[in-house]
Amino acid sequence: MIDSHSKKHYIAIIGGSISGSEAAFILAEKGYRVVVFEMNELPYGKIEDGLPNWHINLRNKQEKNIDLKLDHPNIRYVPNVRIGEDIVFDDLVKNWGFTVVILANGAWKDRTLPISDISKFENFGLIYQNSLLHWYNHKHEPNYNGIKYEIKDGTVVIGGGLASLDVMKLGMIELVQKALLNQMKIDIDLFTFEKKGILKILNENKTSLSDLKLEGMTLVYRRTAYDMPLKSPRNDTEESIQKAKEVSNKLLNKYVDNFLFKFIPLGSPIDRIEKNGKLDAIVFQKNKMEKNKIFSIEGDTFTLKTPLLISSIGSLPDRISGLPYDGTTLKMRRNDGYVVFGFSNVFAIGNAVTGRGNIQESKSHGNLMTNKIIDDHLEQEDLFEEWLVNYNENLKNLVQEQIEEINKEIESKKIMPDKVIENILNKTKSLQEKIGYTTYSEWIKLKTPIRLEDMIKN
Ligand SMILES: Cc1cc2nc3c(=O)[nH]c(=O)nc-3n(C[C@H](O)[C@H](O)[C@H](O)COP(=O)(O)OP(=O)(O)OC[C@H]3O[C@@H](n4cnc5c(N)ncnc54)[C@H](O)[C@@H]3O)c2cc1C
């Protein structure tokens, strides 16, 4: 599938998950050559390490989809390479020979809780959502060697939205599952818990949270249940917005009823109380909602004692040195844009742009923006002309001895010289060889961890 496109452009994509694989596939199908750099062994991003592992069907479907896209003759997959650390971003853009770089690196940095000096408790009384979910999804693996957490009774979770409800569910299941096993010798697997809900399981076993001497967990949200972003309105009309609010409220209450956690609306964390060097309690500011806007009620606070605090207040794109940022988000040429500020050949798609979204949004954004990148940039002469101008400066170190020969080739054919393509192929091949990578399908087979559902079955 090598044609004129592939001879003119070589594209680097950072991140191989939902948006990265979508972009890579669209480009590869059009005949462009693509390298996907992925910091993990597997390219599945939040699907593997974010979605709690009871989403078996969703995970399997999405991962299969990513495999079908990335296992393409025009795509070279390079795992275990973190751009910004293993390869400096500036080097990738200027020296490797890529005409375009697309950031599809998602949002992996937890927002910091707005409480002064709270970070000193990280992993000692405070857990951020991304680390929690990584542990949760992998803790059953025999060679798991990451941080080990323990959910404590009375844990307070700060957050709102679907991910924080998953956090409540996983925490409550952990607590009740352990209590049933230790106190009543009843062993029920996670998938049964998730399907039936805690209330039903406790009823079936003629017990309750108080019988098991459990207090349960508490979710604190800064707005009300109606304001939780659990359901997107169909359109901007007042009626549709109101309907979505009703659904969000219903959904939240359904979760509370089935998984037996407490919900406290209208509280924002503002301070923490420390006792003997340990995190002891969180102080919350009371809020009120007026015309969909949130206001703090001055002087009105409440304090919750907690043995463990979990922060589930969302994620932001991880900073990569060499890229421009506007506060916490990547700085784009336009607010709704995909072109990274200060560059004409660096683009961003998926969660990497917004810091939030779901699978469908990430895929659609990847699809829409990649088609724009093709139509408005790759198929325009300007981008390649600009690359040519920079080319001498940026590439002469790599291919010094052939510089004259290459220049002639470029000038006459207006294509990327074979030497540049070879250079990319050699460099990526050596990265793959270093970790024993052979083919995409063999690598995936080798690196996919044992699944909890398979362990339970056996
Ligand atoms: C708890 C939880 C539950 C969720 N539940 C749902 C749900 O039920 N339904 C739904 O639709 N969505 C859900 N989502 C959201 C959904 O998983 C994400 O929106 C989607 O997977 C994001 O895809 P992405 O490709 O934009 O980003 P990611 O999946 O984050 O992919 C980014 C990729 O880039 C790689 N990467 C990052 N930095 C670098 C670097 N410097 N160098 C190289 N590689 C890098 C990462 O390893 C990753 O593979 C949930 C998310 C969470 C956290």
Side-chain angles (χ1 to χ4, degrees):
M1 224 183 264
I2 306 293
D3 62 15
S4 60
H5 289 317
S6 62
K7 295 292 278 180
K8 204 160 183 172
H9 290 288
Y10 215 137
I11 295 137
I13 297 182
I14 304 175
S17 189
I18 296 291
S19 55
S21 62
E22 180 76 6
F25 184 70
I26 293 172
L27 290 162
E29 280 286 284
K30 289 240 174 193
Y32 293 102
R33 280 170 181 263
V34 182
V35 175
V36 172
F37 292 98
E38 167 58 53
M39 68 178 180
N40 293 325
E41 289 176 334
L42 295 170
Y44 309 133
K46 286 257 158 89
I47 303 298
E48 180 72 21
D49 298 331
L51 288 184
N53 56 7
W54 59 72
H55 290 281
I56 300 174
N57 292 338
L58 183 62
R59 180 199 65 206
N60 290 351
K61 183 177 155 208
Q62 295 302 332
E63 295 193 351
K64 193 168 162 215
N65 228 309
I66 292 172
D67 291 343
L68 287 172
K69 287 175 183 161
L70 292 186
D71 197 5
H72 191 290
N74 284 353
I75 300 174
R76 180 163 281 207
Y77 178 60
V78 184
N80 278 10
V81 172
R82 191 184 187 116
I83 303 300
E85 276 181 22
D86 304 308
I87 298 172
V88 173
F89 184 74
D90 219 38
D91 180 36
L92 185 78
V93 178
K94 290 187 179 152
N95 303 330
W96 279 61
F98 292 111
T99 45
V100 159
V101 174
I102 300 176
L103 298 153
N105 55 320
W108 284 89
K109 188 177 165 19
D110 285 279
R111 277 176 194 277
T112 310
L113 270 177
I115 302 176
S116 98
D117 216 13
I118 194 76
S119 56
K120 72 176 186 181
F121 296 107
E122 191 168 346
N123 297 330
F124 301 97
L126 163 67
I127 310 176
Y128 278 105
Q129 182 191 289
N130 281 313
S131 321
L132 177 83
L133 278 148
H134 186 274
W135 160 76
Y136 190 73
N137 279 2
H138 297 283
K139 65 183 162 72
H140 65 277
E141 293 164 17
N143 53 357
Y144 176 76
N145 59 5
I147 303 176
K148 294 189 173 89
Y149 297 116
E150 192 194 344
I151 304 294
K152 305 234 170 87
D153 190 25
T155 293
V156 169
V157 178
I158 298 173
L162 280 169
S164 66
L165 295 189
D166 271 346
V167 168
M168 296 313 290
K169 234 164 118 170
L170 82 79
M172 286 301 298
I173 291 174
E174 280 278 300
L175 286 177
V176 178
Q177 196 180 25
K178 258 196 200 140
L180 276 182
L181 185 64
N182 293 341
Q183 296 174 40
M184 298 175 72
K185 305 282 170 270
I186 297 171
D187 191 2
I188 298 174
D189 68 78
L190 155 72
F191 304 106
T192 310
F193 258 111
E194 197 276 324
K195 213 164 165 185
K196 289 190 173 177
I198 291 176
L199 178 68
K200 200 164 177 197
I201 291 210
L202 291 181
N203 286 344
E204 280 174 1
N205 289 284
K206 300 192 174 31
T207 185
S208 65
L209 282 190
S210 60
D211 286 349
L212 293 169
K213 298 189 180 48
L214 287 175
E215 176 194 332
M217 291 165 56
T218 304
L219 174 65
V220 186
Y221 180 47
R222 62 197 175 115
R223 298 169 189 260
T224 72
Y226 290 91
D227 308 301
M228 260 204 192
L230 303 179
K231 170 91 183 121
S232 310
R234 277 209 181 151
N235 50 48
D236 288 343
T237 60
E238 191 51 44
E239 193 195 348
S240 176
I241 293 171
Q242 199 47 41
K243 236 186 197 157
K245 278 177 180 279
E246 300 288 341
V247 175
S248 291
N249 180 53
K250 250 193 198 148
L251 262 172
L252 188 268
N253 284 308
K254 208 169 140 197
Y255 269 82
V256 168
D257 291 346
N258 289 335
F259 291 92
L260 305 180
F261 58 88
K262 297 178 206 91
F263 173 64
I264 302 181
L266 297 167
S268 297
I270 51 166
D271 204 358
R272 42 103 190 153
I273 295 168
E274 186 177 334
K275 219 180 203 176
N276 303 327
K278 284 189 177 161
L279 184 62
D280 185 61
I282 301 296
V283 182
F284 292 87
Q285 167 74 59
K286 263 273 200 200
N287 302 321
K288 60 180 176 183
M289 295 296 294
E290 272 174 19
K291 292 188 181 138
N292 284 329
K293 286 206 170 114
I294 183 170
F295 297 94
S296 41
I297 309 171
E298 222 176 296
D300 198 352
T301 60
F302 64 97
T303 300
L304 293 179
K305 257 180 99 66
T306 181
L308 176 68
L309 179 68
I310 297 176
S311 178
S312 177
I313 60 171
S315 303
L316 301 162
D318 241 332
R319 272 177 187 260
I320 296 179
S321 169
L323 282 167
Y325 290 87
D326 218 349
T328 50
T329 50
L330 199 56
K331 187 168 179 184
M332 311 302 283
R333 241 191 229 177
R334 287 178 18 182
N335 271 351
D336 58 347
Y338 59 103
V339 187
V340 176
F341 183 83
F343 293 90
S344 53
N345 63 340
V346 179
F347 306 97
I349 58 174
N351 282 14
V353 185
T354 58
R356 58 166 179 262
N358 56 34
I359 296 169
Q360 197 43 48
E361 279 171 13
S362 205
K363 200 176 286 180
S364 308
H365 191 257
N367 185 303
L368 200 72
M369 295 310 156
T370 305
N371 281 308
K372 266 176 173 289
I373 293 168
I374 293 171
D375 294 344
D376 298 350
H377 303 269
L378 292 170
E379 287 186 357
Q380 305 302 320
E381 285 303 313
D382 307 8
L383 190 113
F384 191 68
E385 292 292 338
E386 204 175 314
W387 181 83
L388 283 183
V389 171
N390 293 329
Y391 153 81
N392 256 337
E393 261 319 296
N394 298 332
L395 294 178
K396 65 183 170 207
N397 297 338
L398 298 168
V399 285
Q400 213 156 19
E401 65 282 13
Q402 293 99 356
I403 202 90
E404 271 187 23
E405 187 193 318
I406 291 171
N407 272 341
K408 264 190 228 148
E409 194 185 340
I410 294 183
E411 282 311 316
S412 60
K413 298 189 202 150
K414 294 273 183 216
I415 56 166
M416 187 180 259
D418 284 344
K419 280 285 160 209
V420 176
I421 295 175
E422 248 171 58
N423 179 55
I424 294 174
L425 290 174
N426 289 340
K427 283 176 98 161
T428 46
K429 191 163 177 235
S430 96
L431 287 169
Q432 288 175 327
E433 280 174 355
K434 223 166 55 184
I435 52 163
Y437 179 97
T438 49
T439 63
Y440 182 83
S441 56
E442 274 180 28
W443 179 261
I444 294 297
K445 217 165 138 194
L446 191 71
K447 298 296 174 183
T448 301
I450 181 155
R451 299 304 188 189
L452 182 62
E453 64 272 22
D454 295 333
M455 278 172 93
I456 290 172
K457 257 187 250 153
N458 293 326

